[in-house]
Amino acid sequence: MNDTTTILAPGSTIGILGGGQLGRMLALAAAKLGLKSHIYCPDPQSPAFDVTPLKTVAAYDDVAALRAFVAEVDVITYEFENVPAATADVLAALKPLRPGARALAISQDRLEEKGFLASKNIPVAPYRAVHGLDDLEAAVAELGLPAVLKTTRLGYDGKGQRVLRAPGEAAEAFTELKPHPLVLEGFVPFEKEISVVVARGLDGTVRAFDAAENVHRHHILHTSTVPAAVPPGVEKHAAMLAKVIVVALDYVGVLGVEFFVIGGERPSLVVNEIAPRVHNSGHWTEAVCLTDQFEQHIRAIAGWPLGDPRRMADVVMQNLVGDEVDMVPGGLDGDTQPHLYGKTEARPGRKMGHINRIVRG
Amino acid sequence: MNDTTTILAPGSTIGILGGGQLGRMLALAAAKLGLKSHIYCPDPQSPAFDVTPLKTVAAYDDVAALRAFVAEVDVITYEFENVPAATADVLAALKPLRPGARALAISQDRLEEKGFLASKNIPVAPYRAVHGLDDLEAAVAELGLPAVLKTTRLGYDGKGQRVLRAPGEAAEAFTELKPHPLVLEGFVPFEKEISVVVARGLDGTVRAFDAAENVHRHHILHTSTVPAAVPPGVEKHAAMLAKVIVVALDYVGVLGVEFFVIGGERPSLVVNEIAPRVHNSGHWTEAVCLTDQFEQHIRAIAGWPLGDPRRMADVVMQNLVGDEVDMVPGGLDGDTQPHLYGKTEARPGRKMGHINRIVRG
């Protein structure tokens, strides 16, 4: 549907695909703006169902349910990039889908994403498409080892990837990882990872939050620290690249960009991946920005003016994974802002909440 | 019910009496802490019903509905001080009611409130109880004119009060204001109004937010500006008095205290009124405090440690009353954080939302 003009009045309804913590936090932000949220999710235990009375429990390929949902909402957004293309097509034919189908298609497929970024002269790690074992052997020869073999679709939190350290590991990894094709990424000797959450409004305005420095544990984001300990030029360059991406995609909403910082006297950046949605490494914004990433996303997709992403204090966001959530409430101290997602079962590796901690000078 | 020990686990349910904007903002804060909210309100169009699937639409004196409600929740709080005593009794017999029945009883009745404050040596405006016209004439003679004649119960936003400027106005005002008894308050030559939102945790910890300077229009709060333009000693004194009040009440939760500042070389304070709940003049905290007044209230009544009330920036909160809400979204600028309450009809005098504006140095 024509996506360039719809501006939502207060009282309108946002349709959100996905009922996890990101959908929940988007719905909370929408409520503060006087907007309703209707959550669409196949899981009847979705955390987001606790924060709005409007919900649809149905599969993403249930066309009748999708059509009934879209009739109840004024604009549609999503909390995850793996929305099936057919689902997006059904919805976008009837109401504005923001961010749009192109951002989804590109971010769902590592090869598409890298091809898009490279076409805009945005640095990415060296990579090769791997359709068969022959391709993989040639790619290993060209890019050297170590290298990372990844599925092109549906990977997250370290799932769908294998590090290759010796040529003999290639065949097994190729057989194990599904579905094909795969992509081999050359090793990037990075010093740290940073990320930038950037927003583009319906009117084309672009605003980036400050870069966060990210530390992972067991392939899951552990902490995001702001400001990132990088030279000012590196942070500015990251923000500039993030802005180039949203402009090139004619994007509306918030987008997360992960960068590897390659050290040395003149540090450089490569983009690791992009996510067309609010991003775990932007959760710190809730504590110290007048407009946080969730409100910024809702403002953008509602066609409202973007808010101010400036930061009022230094902050560390820490994910609470599995039973780490047990620190709430007993372990809370004064400088801590907790945010729990309302999940009942603290399975290992499951993101249960996060805390933002102000760093006072 | 024994109220001193219950600490809520994440996933517990807060019962909230009242479904207006304060109940709505409390429910949003509870959600961020991983707590559910069940809203009890007789109005089927309550704004708070948009932010949780758990609701009861029933009158406050519907004992069967109250009992069914209390069975579904773990602790009960309220967004307005005029909860009928009988309602409070039904609930408090079954589950912790926080803040407790005593705070309700005192704040529901201006005479009780003034008597309580005076008993703690907290300065209040001179006042006299007015049971009959004789009392009123004697009170006018003692306190002088102008003076303000007020109902003892159910007054808010300038309703239930009349300014007396000449003795001849007394009889008509006495007849007009209901129900009796009334209270006559002597004129306080105040320079400005400030307010302090203070919290007391279940463990007895007390934390006050910075004082706000309040400006009213047509008897409705227009702006709260922080910091208040008063000498540091005055702000400290206000915070101290607010703390004395919550300690004296053995209070659990957030309480708002309005003060008149009487000018001169050594400014002094009198307490205008107290409100045993989150307060309109504390809405600025959402923009610039790690823990805002809504989260602070929920933390307190959940038995959780209180959060940090420190302020990260200067701020002005402005209420959007009636059609002033039409400035959203078109009139938003970068430094503005809007908060709309989801009310459909912008009647004159109705609080539709507010905006927080950062004041940059």
Side-chain angles (χ1 to χ4, degrees), chain B residues 102-120:
Chain B
R102 183 157 172 244
L104 273 178
I106 285 172
S107 59
Q108 281 176 5
D109 187 297
R110 285 185 201 278
L111 279 171
E112 292 278 339
E113 184 175 305
K114 288 172 187 295
F116 160 75
L117 293 170
S119 77
K120 302 296 170 188

Side-chain angles (χ1 to χ4, degrees), chain A:
Chain A
M1 202 193 155
N2 184 331
D3 193 18
T4 59
T5 56
T6 309
I7 292 175
L8 268 58
S12 302
T13 302
I14 313 275
I16 301 175
L17 292 172
Q21 63 266 22
L22 300 181
R24 178 179 167 113
M25 291 188 274
L26 286 169
L28 291 173
K32 291 203 272 183
L33 300 175
L35 299 164
K36 298 182 171 75
S37 293
H38 186 132
I39 309 289
Y40 189 112
C41 194
D43 178 0
Q45 301 301 318
S46 295
F49 290 167
D50 284 345
V51 299
T52 172
L54 308 177
K55 68 174 175 181
T56 299
V57 183
Y60 291 120
D61 61 0
D62 181 337
V63 174
L66 290 170
R67 287 179 180 277
F69 164 73
V70 83
E72 300 289 325
V73 306
D74 299 293
V75 66
I76 305 137
T77 192
Y78 42 86
E79 62 152 17
F80 66 116
E81 58 271 40
N82 293 315
V83 176
T87 305
D89 289 345
V90 169
L91 300 171
L94 297 165
K95 291 277 166 67
L97 175 71
R98 295 175 185 160
R102 183 157 173 243
L104 273 177
I106 285 172
S107 59
Q108 281 178 4
D109 188 297
R110 284 184 204 278
L111 279 171
E112 292 278 338
E113 183 175 306
K114 288 172 187 293
F116 159 74
L117 293 169
S119 76
K120 302 296 169 189
N121 295 314
I122 291 169
V124 294
Y127 70 97
R128 296 290 183 277
V130 173
H131 297 272
L133 194 53
D134 287 1
D135 292 333
L136 180 54
E137 281 162 5
V140 166
E142 286 181 84
L143 303 181
L145 292 180
V148 189
L149 188 63
K150 298 181 174 179
T151 57
T152 54
R153 304 180 76 87
L154 299 171
Y156 68 97
D157 286 353
K159 294 180 174 67
Q161 53 182 274
R162 284 277 301 271
V163 177
L164 304 187
R165 295 178 200 281
E169 297 171 2
E172 187 190 326
F174 179 79
T175 310
E176 199 175 275
L177 289 173
K178 300 277 178 207
H180 295 173
L182 306 173
V183 58
L184 187 73
E185 291 181 14
F187 179 68
V188 175
F190 67 96
E191 198 174 83
K192 56 181 67 179
E193 183 200 295
I194 65 172
S195 58
V196 170
V197 172
V198 63
R200 184 165 174 274
L202 195 62
D203 62 0
T205 308
V206 177
R207 296 264 184 280
F209 292 97
D210 286 354
E213 179 170 338
N214 303 320
V215 173
H216 295 78
R217 275 192 189 169
H218 312 298
H219 299 286
I220 299 174
L221 182 64
H222 174 51
T223 57
S224 292
T225 300
V226 192
V230 293
V234 171
E235 172 150 11
K236 273 191 192 156
H237 188 53
M240 189 271 283
L241 292 174
K243 290 176 181 178
V244 167
I245 292 169
V246 288
V247 170
L249 287 171
D250 198 23
Y251 193 86
V252 175
V254 155
L255 177 133
V257 186
E258 294 175 13
F259 299 89
F260 293 135
V261 182
I262 302 167
E265 293 220 348
R266 296 181 57 194
S268 63
L269 293 167
V270 301
V271 171
N272 178 33
E273 62 180 43
I274 64 176
R277 53 170 169 78
V278 289
H279 198 260
N280 195 166
S281 72
H283 291 359
W284 61 271
T285 58
E286 190 176 10
V288 294
C289 297
L290 188 65
T291 305
D292 66 28
Q293 67 163 347
F294 304 101
E295 177 174 331
Q296 195 74 301
H297 185 76
I298 299 293
R299 286 167 79 131
I301 65 166
W304 293 19
L306 294 186
D308 187 340
R310 276 180 289 181
R311 185 170 53 81
M312 292 185 270
D314 295 354
V315 62
V316 179
M317 189 286 305
Q318 181 187 330
N319 272 334
L320 301 176
V321 177
D323 61 12
E324 287 169 4
V325 75
D326 295 344
M327 67 89 72
V328 179
L332 292 178
D333 60 31
D335 275 348
T336 303
Q337 177 190 72
H339 197 134
L340 302 193
Y341 307 148
K343 299 177 182 177
T344 45
E345 200 190 340
R347 292 192 295 268
R350 193 178 199 203
K351 291 175 182 168
M352 301 297 292
H354 64 268
I355 51 175
N356 285 317
R357 203 182 290 270
I358 296 282
V359 181
R360 312 244 177 210

Side-chain angles (χ1 to χ4, degrees), chain B residues 185-345:
Chain B
E185 291 180 13
F187 178 69
V188 176
F190 67 96
E191 198 175 85
K192 56 182 68 179
E193 184 199 295
I194 65 171
S195 57
V196 170
V197 172
V198 63
R200 184 166 174 275
L202 195 64
D203 62 359
T205 308
V206 177
R207 295 265 184 279
F209 291 98
D210 285 355
E213 179 170 338
N214 302 321
V215 173
H216 294 78
R217 276 192 189 168
H218 313 298
H219 299 285
I220 299 173
L221 182 63
H222 174 52
T223 56
S224 292
T225 300
V226 192
V230 293
V234 171
E235 171 149 13
K236 272 192 191 156
H237 188 53
M240 190 271 283
L241 292 174
K243 290 176 181 179
V244 167
I245 293 169
V246 289
V247 170
L249 288 171
D250 199 22
Y251 193 86
V252 175
V254 155
L255 177 132
V257 186
E258 294 175 13
F259 298 90
F260 293 135
V261 182
I262 302 167
E265 293 219 351
R266 295 182 57 193
S268 64
L269 292 168
V270 301
V271 170
N272 177 32
E273 62 179 43
I274 64 175
R277 53 170 168 78
V278 287
H279 198 259
N280 195 167
S281 72
H283 290 358
W284 61 271
T285 58
E286 190 176 10
V288 295
C289 297
L290 188 65
T291 304
D292 66 30
Q293 67 164 346
F294 304 101
E295 177 175 332
Q296 195 73 303
H297 186 75
I298 299 293
R299 286 167 79 131
I301 65 165
W304 292 18
L306 295 186
D308 186 341
R310 276 181 289 179
R311 185 169 52 81
M312 293 183 270
D314 295 355
V315 63
V316 179
M317 188 285 305
Q318 180 188 330
N319 272 333
L320 301 177
V321 177
D323 60 13
E324 287 168 3
V325 74
D326 295 344
M327 67 87 75
V328 179
L332 293 178
D333 60 31
D335 275 350
T336 303
Q337 178 191 71
H339 197 133
L340 302 193
Y341 307 148
K343 299 178 182 177
T344 44
E345 201 189 341

